[in-house]
Amino acid sequence: MNQPVKNGVMVYAEQKNGIIHPVSFELLGKGRELADKLNVELWSVLLGYHVRGEAETLIHYGADRVFLYDDPMLEVFDVVKYKHVLVGLIRETDPQLFLIGATPLGRSLAPRVAAALNTGLTADCIDIQIDDKGEIVQIRPAFTGNIIAHIKTRSRPVMATVRYRVMKPLPRDTSRKGEVVEKHPPTLQDTGLRVLGEVSTRSVNLAEAEIIVSGGRGLKRREDLNMLKELASLLGGVVGVSRPLVDDGWISKDHQVGFSGNTVKPKLYIACGISGSPQHIAGMRDSEVIVAINIDRSAPIFRIADYGIVGDLYEVVPRLIEALKRLKRVE
Ligand SMILES: Cc1cc2nc3c(=O)[nH]c(=O)nc-3n(C[C@H](O)[C@H](O)[C@H](O)COP(=O)(O)OP(=O)(O)OC[C@H]3O[C@@H](n4cnc5c(N)ncnc54)[C@H](O)[C@@H]3O)c2cc1C
């Protein structure tokens, strides 16, 4: 390949222990569409140590060119070092759009890079489009999810973090060809950051769950969550909740679905005693099949539900549990 033409679309490839975070493949899928519309190359940048093998994978998912920084200095994520490397690359290659996953790592890295480049950053986008004038439009919920804002940034590059599980990756194509450009990080001083150990507080991975049984304020007591846990476990799923249950300390925030919680895309989402506020719906509207159980037939959740059960969850959920147990006995 020739020297990279400037003004490409660049995707940050997040990795941990050499495993690429799936949000990076989703961003490459979107990036491919945008780069084709803008008639530019799609680039990806990968930082780490012993990650060379993953550079090709990024090409298989849509990148034309991967800037690879494989160096012992980058083995552990150090936000200051990573920022320096990215700022240098962005200054050199001048992408018009730079996308990072809105993961905890991305949310820490992106603002530092944007500030160093003196450019804007639109956080938590749910879509990126190109308008009739060929300008980049960043789309994200605003005013607690009540409106969807369309944002254009004057400064360059346009920088956005994008939520996990809102965009689709392309199918992996191992015949795709691209170029891996080996880069070397600048010599960086010790930043003073040390990883003393890793603590995992995450009890559930809601974003990747295929079946979620969620409870809301229709539940009367914290113990009643056990009923939803039983239903979820019979279906091979996990428990989600609306925000008030987290605010009341009934369950950890890992379980929260919605605007300020997790965005989920399961095959089946069962909402029990959840009214369907815009903030809740923002996190689960893309579920494949939505079942709502609510005593109030005018509850907004029924507007997006594929199957609605108007009834008391304390009657409906135990009957579902019984029916599933019966089915399992027959099997
Ligand atoms: C900045 C901001 C961010 C937010 N982020 C989130 C977020 O990420 N996620 C989120 O969920 N919320 C979020 N919220 C809160 C949101 O606005 C709503 O307050 C919340 O979603 C309501 O939760 P709910 O549906 O469980 O409760 P309610 O709205 O009180 O609904 C309870 C429902 O249960 C039904 N019900 C009652 N008893 C029964 C029964 N026995 N059987 C069946 N149905 C029954 C009622 O008819 C009602 O529809 C946010 C708010 C703000 C301001």
Side-chain angles (χ1 to χ4, degrees), residues 298-310:
S298 67
I301 191 83
F302 286 129
R303 282 188 226 135
I304 58 151
D306 298 286
Y307 299 95
I309 303 172
V310 180

Side-chain angles (χ1 to χ4, degrees), residues 54-107:
E54 290 310 307
E56 287 293 329
T57 311
L58 299 169
I59 292 171
H60 297 161
Y61 278 99
D64 295 313
R65 202 180 294 256
V66 177
F67 298 98
L68 170 69
Y69 291 84
D70 194 294
D71 191 284
M73 193 187 76
L74 302 172
E75 181 166 18
V76 175
F77 174 67
D78 176 326
V79 73
V80 179
K81 286 183 183 162
Y82 273 47
K83 177 201 77 174
H84 276 298
V85 174
L86 289 181
V87 168
L89 180 69
I90 291 171
R91 288 210 170 111
E92 183 191 331
T93 55
D94 197 18
Q96 55 184 303
L97 172 64
F98 188 79
L99 300 174
I100 304 190
T103 59
L105 184 149
R107 284 179 173 150

Side-chain angles (χ1 to χ4, degrees), residues 47-165:
L47 276 62
Y49 187 42
H50 293 315
V51 291
R52 194 164 271 104
E54 290 310 307
E56 287 293 329
T57 311
L58 299 169
I59 292 171
H60 297 161
Y61 278 99
D64 295 313
R65 202 180 294 256
V66 177
F67 298 98
L68 170 69
Y69 291 84
D70 194 294
D71 191 284
M73 193 187 76
L74 302 172
E75 181 166 18
V76 175
F77 174 67
D78 176 326
V79 73
V80 179
K81 286 183 183 162
Y82 273 47
K83 177 201 77 174
H84 276 298
V85 174
L86 289 181
V87 168
L89 180 69
I90 291 171
R91 288 210 170 111
E92 183 191 331
T93 55
D94 197 18
Q96 55 184 303
L97 172 64
F98 188 79
L99 300 174
I100 304 190
T103 59
L105 184 149
R107 284 179 173 150
S108 144
L109 185 57
R112 287 176 165 90
V113 174
L117 293 166
N118 203 18
T119 190
L121 171 69
T122 307
D124 269 348
C125 290
I126 54 169
D127 199 7
I128 315 269
Q129 291 173 3
I130 309 294
D131 71 7
D132 299 344
K133 294 183 196 136
E135 291 176 1
I136 297 164
V137 184
Q138 302 154 91
I139 298 168
R140 57 152 297 163
F143 295 102
T144 68
N146 286 313
I147 63 161
I148 299 293
H150 288 225
I151 298 167
K152 287 185 186 176
T153 315
R154 286 215 180 99
S155 51
R156 288 289 178 272
V158 172
M159 274 191 71
T161 62
V162 178
R163 284 197 162 204
Y164 179 31
R165 305 221 79 186

Side-chain angles (χ1 to χ4, degrees), residues 217 242-243 256-257 259-260 273 275 277 279-280 294 312-313:
R217 247 191 321 219
S242 64
R243 176 166 157 173
Q256 184 185 321
V257 174
F259 179 70
S260 53
S275 59
S277 66
Q279 294 84 8
H280 188 82
N294 199 303
D312 185 340
L313 73 92

Side-chain angles (χ1 to χ4, degrees), residues 126 141 145 148 257 264 278 280-288 290 304:
I126 54 169
I148 299 293
V257 174
V264 300
H280 188 82
I281 288 174
M284 45 67 75
R285 62 156 70 87
D286 290 331
S287 306
E288 270 180 44
I290 299 171
I304 58 151

